[in-house]
């Protein structure tokens, strides 16, 4: 009996240390208490050997534009550092200067230039250098584009046509109409050319007689300077949900219990001749806490989140793949740590 009581105490202690608790109207145990000296029977001193043993990264899903991966065994500040660096400090190329020769459309020059700046460019920014303020454009710090287009009436149109696409030529200006104009020897070291991530991004609408004629300069920058340089459409994380069933839930209650969660989280399985609710995919849960609204389940389930298990979702704008962006974020964080270490060495020397 004493051993059982000791086991329960240890299990409760583990939950306090490693789990966030979800109640019907509040979230408990959000602060991390795993600091040296907090728990008598635990050695919470940090060491690289322990971190290396516990840390793990699992790639769950990956495409050219999106990735979902798990970072396990790290603290929230590190996870949040990766998120912030992905959004604001990994560089990309974006249109910075627009030299307008002619714009007779209804869109003002400033608005048009802003829209052009937000077009993501499909080129590896690591091939370029940052252009300092006042520095002249060169093949190593600037990409040049040209946009020259004019709307005209179509010659042969049916009498009942009303669609502008049929009535006019170049009635809509898309990103595919912008042409790359190589500077210097760029064509040699960029053999695949440079284009925008998508060809069908609508920029402007023209009518007969209206035209655009302009030159664009794209430079290297980071999202903390302007959102157009951010390499991700979104970079977010959430903690891994954990659903503990404390008592068997069977029959009609099991069906009701299943419906309280997102599809795929809970399944009905036959166990010893009866159907019970079983948690099969907790990561799919959105933590709505709907189940806690039903009195019959309050003592049968506990909703938790694993404190050091982060589910990351990264969607790239298209310049680099998401996992490449993560590697670049790691390099940037490493450089920041080097700066801090050098400063500490100066203070202690």
């Amino acid at each position: 009996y004493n051993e059982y009581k000791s086991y329960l105490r240890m299990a409760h202690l583990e939950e306090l240390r490693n789990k966030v608790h979800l109640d019907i109207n509040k979230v408990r145990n959000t602060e991390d208490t795993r600091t040296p000296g907090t728990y008598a029977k635990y050695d919470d001193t940090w060491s690289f050997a322990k971190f290396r043993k516990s840390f793990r990264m699992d790639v769950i899903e990956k495409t050219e534009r999106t990735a979902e991966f798990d970072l396990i065994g790290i603290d929230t500040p590190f996870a949040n550092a990766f998120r912030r660096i992905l959004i604001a400090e990994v560089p990309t190329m974006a249109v910075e200067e627009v030299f307008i020769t002619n714009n007779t459309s209804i869109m003002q020059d400033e608005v048009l230039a802003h829209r052009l700046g937000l077009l993501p460019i499909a080129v590896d920014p690591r091939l370029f250098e940052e252009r300092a303020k006042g520095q002249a454009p060169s093949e190593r710090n600037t990409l040049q584009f040209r946009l020259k287009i004019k709307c005209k009436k179509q010659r042969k149109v049916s009498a009942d046509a009303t669609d502008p696409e049929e009535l006019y030529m170049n009635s809509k200006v898309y990103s595919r109409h912008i042409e790359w104009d190589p500077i210097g020897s760029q064509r040699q070291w960029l053999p695949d050319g440079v284009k925008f991530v998508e060809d069908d991004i609508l920029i402007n609408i023209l009518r007969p007689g209206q035209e655009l004629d302009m030159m664009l300069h794209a430079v290297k920058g980071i999202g903390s300077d302007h959102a157009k340089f951010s390499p991700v459409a979104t970079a977010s994380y959430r903690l891994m949900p954990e659903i503990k069933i404390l008592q068997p839930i069977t029959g009609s209650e099991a069906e009701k219990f299943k419906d309280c969660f997102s599809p795929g989280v809970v399944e009905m399985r036959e166990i010893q001749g009866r159907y019970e609710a079983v948690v099969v995919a907790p990561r799919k849960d959105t933590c709505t806490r709907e189940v806690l609204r039903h009195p019959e389940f309050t003592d049968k389930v506990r909703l938790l989140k694993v404190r050091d298990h982060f589910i990351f979702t990264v969607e790239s704008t298209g310049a680099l793949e998401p996992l490449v962006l993560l590697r670049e974020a790691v390099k940037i964080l490493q450089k920041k740590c080097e700066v801090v270490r050098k400063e500490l060495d100066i203070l202690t020397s």
Side-chain angles (χ1 to χ4, degrees):
Y1 176 74
N2 290 333
E3 288 183 0
Y4 181 65
K5 285 179 66 177
S6 177
Y7 166 76
L8 289 179
R9 282 197 299 270
M10 292 298 291
H12 178 67
L13 193 59
E14 280 297 320
E15 280 197 3
L16 284 176
R17 283 167 45 80
N18 301 316
K19 306 292 171 61
V20 176
H21 296 246
L22 304 181
D23 290 342
I24 181 64
N25 55 7
K26 62 181 177 180
V27 180
R28 294 187 293 110
N29 200 33
T30 56
E31 65 279 357
D32 193 347
T33 57
R34 295 170 298 175
T35 53
T38 303
Y39 302 99
K41 296 184 179 181
Y42 287 90
D43 178 16
D44 284 317
T45 55
W46 192 91
S47 73
F48 180 72
K50 288 196 294 185
F51 171 76
R52 187 173 182 178
K53 184 178 180 180
S54 62
F55 176 73
R56 191 172 86 244
M57 175 180 172
D58 297 334
V59 178
I60 307 302
E61 184 180 357
K62 180 177 77 72
T63 66
E64 288 185 0
R65 299 285 287 275
T66 61
E68 182 178 320
F69 55 89
D70 293 359
L71 293 182
I72 305 166
I74 65 171
D75 293 327
T76 304
F78 286 101
N80 197 44
F82 287 132
R83 182 189 67 84
R84 291 174 65 93
I85 292 171
L86 281 168
I87 292 172
E89 297 189 54
V90 177
T92 62
M93 302 292 288
V95 173
E96 176 72 3
E97 299 169 334
V98 181
F99 303 94
I100 300 175
T101 303
N102 195 11
N103 173 22
T104 56
S105 72
I106 63 170
M107 187 176 291
Q108 299 95 331
D109 292 351
E110 295 83 357
V111 177
L112 180 58
H114 184 264
R115 289 177 68 85
L116 292 168
L118 293 174
L119 296 175
I121 304 172
V123 67
D124 191 340
R126 296 171 294 182
L127 301 173
F128 295 86
E129 302 168 355
E130 290 189 18
R131 195 170 90 184
K133 187 175 182 180
Q135 186 179 2
S138 71
E139 63 179 273
R140 284 296 173 181
N141 63 26
T142 304
L143 284 170
Q144 184 169 279
F145 300 91
R146 291 192 180 275
L147 174 59
K148 187 176 177 64
I149 188 170
K150 185 174 183 178
C151 181
K152 300 178 181 178
K153 289 184 179 181
Q154 296 280 13
R155 291 185 177 181
K156 296 181 180 180
V157 183
S158 61
D160 57 346
T162 58
D163 186 356
E165 295 282 343
E166 298 179 26
L167 292 171
Y168 314 124
M169 184 187 305
N170 297 328
S171 64
K172 292 182 179 179
V173 184
Y174 291 99
S175 51
R176 60 175 172 267
H177 292 129
I178 303 175
E179 297 180 355
W180 175 47
D181 185 15
I183 301 174
S185 61
Q186 282 183 342
R187 197 177 293 279
Q188 279 70 49
W189 51 276
L190 293 170
D192 297 330
V194 178
K195 61 179 183 178
F196 292 90
V197 172
E198 301 291 346
D199 290 334
D200 58 349
I201 302 175
L202 182 64
I203 299 171
N204 204 347
I205 294 176
L206 303 179
R207 287 298 178 261
Q210 296 178 346
E211 62 179 306
L212 299 175
D213 186 3
M214 59 194 65
M215 181 172 64
L216 288 59
H217 281 181
V219 300
K220 187 175 181 178
I222 57 176
S224 59
D225 291 335
H226 195 287
K228 66 185 177 184
F229 291 112
S230 181
V232 295
T234 181
S236 61
Y237 65 79
R238 59 191 179 96
L239 294 177
M240 170 65 83
E242 183 176 312
I243 303 166
K244 283 190 175 182
I245 297 178
L246 307 177
Q247 301 175 27
I249 302 173
T250 60
S252 59
E253 275 195 354
E255 285 287 351
K256 186 177 181 180
F257 182 82
K258 175 184 174 182
D259 293 338
C260 291
F261 296 91
S262 303
V265 175
V266 177
E267 287 184 359
M268 301 286 291
R269 291 187 179 175
E270 187 174 358
I271 301 175
Q272 297 180 349
R274 61 180 183 178
Y275 283 95
E276 287 188 17
V278 178
V279 178
V280 294
R283 73 179 298 118
K284 293 181 179 179
D285 186 35
T286 56
C287 299
T288 61
R289 293 179 276 184
E290 169 67 21
V291 68
L292 299 180
R293 295 178 62 247
H294 303 278
E296 61 268 34
F297 298 134
T298 52
D299 297 328
K300 295 182 179 181
V301 65
R302 185 180 297 141
L303 303 182
L304 308 164
K305 287 187 177 184
V306 184
R307 191 187 301 281
D308 62 352
H309 188 149
F310 298 88
I311 302 173
F312 264 84
T313 302
V314 178
E315 181 182 346
S316 169
T317 56
L320 295 173
E321 293 187 1
L323 295 184
V324 176
L325 292 175
L326 179 63
R327 285 198 293 270
E328 294 301 308
V330 171
K331 292 177 184 177
I332 292 171
L333 183 59
Q334 186 177 7
K335 289 180 182 178
K336 290 175 178 286
C337 293
E338 289 292 336
V339 171
V340 173
R341 191 177 70 173
K342 288 178 182 178
E343 294 296 327
L344 288 174
D345 289 342
I346 292 173
L347 289 173
T348 55
S349 62

